[in-house]
Amino acid sequence: MSFGKNIRTWFEGQWHEGDIPVMRAADHGLWQGSNVFDGARLFDGLIPDLDSHMARVNRSAAALMITPTIETDAMVEFAREGLRKYEKGAAVYVRPMYWAVNASELGVSPAPNSTNFALCLEEVPMPDPEAATTLTTTSFRRPVMADNVCNAKAGCLYPNNARMLVEAQRKGFGNALVQDAMGNVAETATANVWLVKDGEYFTPIANGTFLAGLTRKRHMKNLREAGYTVHEAVLTLDDFRAADEVFLTGNFSKVTPVKAFDDVTYEDRKFTRKARELYMDWAVSCPL
């Protein structure tokens, strides 16, 4: 089931129209969860960090012990070819995916050199940049490297994220502010998180419990080059309660303002808008 429309799928060496079947019932990636993906975004004729997203899906595959089979440059070319078929101005989610096909002798681990690849393009509108979300706490936490593949964008991590999100939404909030195993803030259920205090930007330090996103990295670079102070720091729930502004960053929306964390509200968005403005100014350098 897709969440977009106007889908195109690259599979087995060619483009197909629509949401075609690519995985079989006995594929290891289905019944044992050995699958990884990544996501890039086409909007306004721009495709920021496409090569970085394609390179990361190969790193994710290796981290999950499945064999990547497509070079980064080739994936980039496949994506550009497929995206050029969309109407001018279309907003498209770009999702490369790997999964293991065969199992090893014991079944649980994937067989080496037994990997399938697909690239799915879905037309999905960019969210309204002024549409703000709300945050609450969650009883679920991010795992550590000893528990799960926190260094990969792996499908097996997302059921836990879904629990966080569903719990938050049942409480009447839009998203969850998630702690790591030590009780420090890691991210939200769907994106990396930032706070602004006294004109300086703060984001949780990458400690191996969450994927420090490519869009997060791009924002850090843009803000620092513009002269702003950016801290990667150990942050607590109380730090967010005391913040002047809070926002999320990720490939899907780039910047999402936060208007409340439980009963704390954030009135100003000046620095949130500045982060988005700097990102969009930089993105002009990344045409399709």
Side-chain angles (χ1 to χ4, degrees), residues 185-205:
V185 172
E187 59 176 355
T188 69
T190 63
N192 294 138
V193 66
W194 296 66
L195 68 82
V196 179
K197 186 68 176 177
D198 298 329
E200 298 185 358
Y201 291 85
F202 295 79
T203 193
I205 191 167

Side-chain angles (χ1 to χ4, degrees), residues 193-229:
V193 66
W194 296 66
L195 68 82
V196 179
K197 186 68 176 177
D198 298 329
E200 298 185 358
Y201 291 85
F202 295 79
T203 193
I205 191 167
N207 63 357
T209 67
F210 66 96
L211 203 61
L214 296 171
T215 306
R216 169 187 179 273
K217 181 180 179 181
R218 182 61 63 186
H219 282 295
M220 291 174 65
K221 187 174 188 295
N222 290 343
L223 288 164
R224 284 171 172 158
E225 288 180 351
Y228 291 93
T229 300

Side-chain angles (χ1 to χ4, degrees), residues 33 38 40-41 60 73 86 98 111 131 134 139 154 188 210 214 237 243 288:
D38 217 287
R41 260 298 208 173
S60 291
D73 290 347
Y86 284 86
Y98 284 113
T134 56
S139 58
T188 69
F210 66 96
L214 296 171
L237 296 175
L288 176 62

Side-chain angles (χ1 to χ4, degrees), residues 149-177:
V149 282
C150 302
N151 59 335
K153 198 169 177 67
C156 59
L157 294 168
Y158 280 77
N160 194 42
N161 294 30
R163 294 194 302 171
M164 301 165 185
L165 191 60
V166 169
E167 182 183 41
Q169 292 175 342
R170 286 175 176 169
K171 291 167 64 177
F173 294 84
N175 211 321
L177 189 59

Side-chain angles (χ1 to χ4, degrees), residues 5-282:
K5 63 179 184 178
N6 196 10
I7 298 171
R8 294 188 171 96
T9 308
W10 194 95
F11 181 59
E12 294 185 334
Q14 60 182 314
W15 281 104
H16 306 264
E17 293 295 322
D19 186 17
I20 67 165
V22 297
M23 190 179 287
R24 300 170 302 183
D27 279 7
H28 191 273
L30 180 63
W31 70 285
Q32 288 290 339
S34 55
N35 59 78
V36 297
F37 71 100
D38 217 287
R41 260 298 208 173
L42 172 71
F43 61 93
D44 298 335
L46 308 173
I47 185 73
D49 283 324
L50 177 60
D51 56 344
S52 297
H53 286 284
M54 297 308 188
R56 188 171 65 180
V57 77
N58 278 353
R59 295 196 301 271
S60 291
L64 199 62
M65 298 179 293
I66 61 178
T67 308
T69 58
I70 310 292
E71 294 293 332
T72 297
D73 290 347
M75 279 189 275
V76 168
E77 285 309 308
F78 299 154
R80 291 188 185 278
E81 179 184 30
L83 290 168
R84 291 189 185 107
K85 298 178 182 180
Y86 284 86
E87 292 185 4
K88 184 178 180 180
V92 183
Y93 185 63
V94 181
R95 186 172 61 248
M97 299 170 284
Y98 284 113
W99 63 96
V101 176
N102 297 322
S104 62
E105 292 181 0
L106 295 179
V108 174
S109 58
N113 301 309
S114 176
T115 308
N116 245 337
F117 172 83
L119 174 61
C120 183
L121 308 179
E122 293 188 60
E123 192 169 348
V124 185
M126 290 289 286
D128 181 347
E130 291 298 318
T133 191
T134 56
L135 300 177
T136 188
T137 56
T138 173
S139 58
F140 304 109
R141 295 197 175 189
R142 288 291 306 173
V144 297
M145 283 288 291
D147 300 330
N148 218 318
V149 282
C150 302
N151 59 335
K153 198 169 177 67
C156 59
L157 294 168
Y158 280 77
N160 194 42
N161 294 30
R163 294 194 302 171
M164 301 165 185
L165 191 60
V166 169
E167 182 183 41
Q169 292 175 342
R170 286 175 176 169
K171 291 167 64 177
F173 294 84
N175 211 321
L177 189 59
V178 182
Q179 295 167 281
D180 61 22
M182 289 72 72
N184 299 310
V185 172
E187 59 176 355
T188 69
T190 63
N192 294 138
V193 66
W194 296 66
L195 68 82
V196 179
K197 186 68 176 177
D198 298 329
E200 298 185 358
Y201 291 85
F202 295 79
T203 193
I205 191 167
N207 63 357
T209 67
F210 66 96
L211 203 61
L214 296 171
T215 306
R216 169 187 179 273
K217 181 180 179 181
R218 182 61 63 186
H219 282 295
M220 291 174 65
K221 187 174 188 295
N222 290 343
L223 288 164
R224 284 171 172 158
E225 288 180 351
Y228 291 93
T229 300
V230 178
H231 304 274
E232 289 185 275
V234 175
L235 300 172
T236 66
L237 296 175
D238 284 341
D239 289 322
F240 282 84
R241 294 185 179 105
D244 299 325
E245 298 180 40
V246 174
F247 62 94
L248 316 182
T249 64
N251 165 67
F252 189 77
S253 301
K254 307 308 178 186
V255 176
T256 301
V258 173
K259 60 185 176 182
F261 171 37
D262 286 334
D263 58 351
V264 176
T265 58
Y266 309 105
E267 302 299 333
D268 196 5
R269 297 184 191 171
K270 179 176 71 172
F271 289 94
T272 300
R273 291 189 180 101
K274 176 53 69 174
R276 182 180 182 85
E277 176 188 324
L278 290 171
Y279 183 91
M280 293 303 175
D281 287 347
W282 166 80

